[in-house]
Amino acid sequence: MEIEEFTALVHITQKLGLISPFVAEEVLAHTRISNSKFIDPKILTEHNYLTDWQISKIVAGDGTMLLFNGYHLLFPIGPGKLGRTYKARKIDTGELVALKVLRKRHANNNVEILKFLRQGEILKDINHPNIV
């Protein structure tokens, strides 16, 4: 990725709130020191600032979908019939969670919405080390 493209990626990432202004400046300072015309965006994953999935979404122009009701989506965990589950970070506390999101096609179907909510109620009370 050319330095100009990488710089734009970092600015978009900061604008989305995925990295702080301090981290953005730190990363950009590193690119200014480099004598290369190309920067590997993996530098952002190596330092755990972003995930590969987040970078691919931003590059594809889908960066806004990484924000969902007070959460940053980190990467998909798995699909289901009613929704998709993501590893996410709560924006205000930094807490890592599994976040299940209802699929758009079910948003106007009350029966499917009730099933989705019932699943959440059932899972909320389960306490097991392999379940989040």
Side-chain angles (χ1 to χ4, degrees), residues 5-6 10 14 17 19 21 41 55 66 69-70 72 74 79-80 93 95 103 109 114 121 127-128 131:
E5 294 171 321
F6 181 78
V10 171
Q14 179 188 345
I19 61 173
I55 291 173
L66 298 174
N69 285 2
H72 286 139
L74 301 176
T93 65
E95 177 186 14
R103 292 180 187 271
N109 184 331
L114 288 174
E121 285 297 317
N127 185 11
H128 189 275
I131 298 176

Side-chain angles (χ1 to χ4, degrees), residues 12-30:
I12 291 168
T13 303
Q14 179 188 345
K15 195 178 245 186
L16 291 170
L18 296 169
I19 61 173
S20 70
F22 174 77
V23 168
E25 185 51 42
E26 184 179 291
V27 170
L28 292 176
H30 176 73

Side-chain angles (χ1 to χ4, degrees), residues 32-46:
R32 288 190 284 271
I33 293 170
S34 170
N35 290 330
S36 175
K37 293 174 108 179
F38 297 96
I39 299 291
D40 188 350
K42 295 267 187 202
I43 190 171
L44 296 168
T45 60
E46 290 169 0

Side-chain angles (χ1 to χ4, degrees), residues 13-101:
T13 303
Q14 179 188 345
K15 195 178 245 186
L16 291 170
L18 296 169
I19 61 173
S20 70
F22 174 77
V23 168
E25 185 51 42
E26 184 179 291
V27 170
L28 292 176
H30 176 73
T31 62
R32 288 190 284 271
I33 293 170
S34 170
N35 290 330
S36 175
K37 293 174 108 179
F38 297 96
I39 299 291
D40 188 350
K42 295 267 187 202
I43 190 171
L44 296 168
T45 60
E46 290 169 0
H47 295 289
N48 295 318
Y49 298 135
L50 297 175
T51 64
D52 289 329
W53 182 76
Q54 288 174 316
I55 291 173
S56 70
K57 288 295 180 188
I58 294 167
V59 169
D62 294 335
T64 56
M65 69 91 51
L66 298 174
L67 305 171
F68 186 82
N69 285 2
Y71 293 90
H72 286 139
L73 302 181
L74 301 176
F75 57 84
I77 294 173
K81 179 183 175 214
L82 297 175
R84 291 190 177 116
T85 304
Y86 297 91
K87 182 174 183 180
R89 177 174 281 117
K90 198 168 185 184
I91 293 172
D92 58 351
T93 65
E95 177 186 14
L96 291 175
V97 299
L99 181 68
K100 190 167 184 177
V101 179

Side-chain angles (χ1 to χ4, degrees), residues 82 102 106 108-118:
L82 297 175
L102 182 68
H106 299 302
N108 295 320
N109 184 331
N110 288 336
V111 172
E112 299 296 341
I113 291 171
L114 288 174
K115 284 181 191 176
F116 182 80
L117 293 173
R118 194 167 35 246

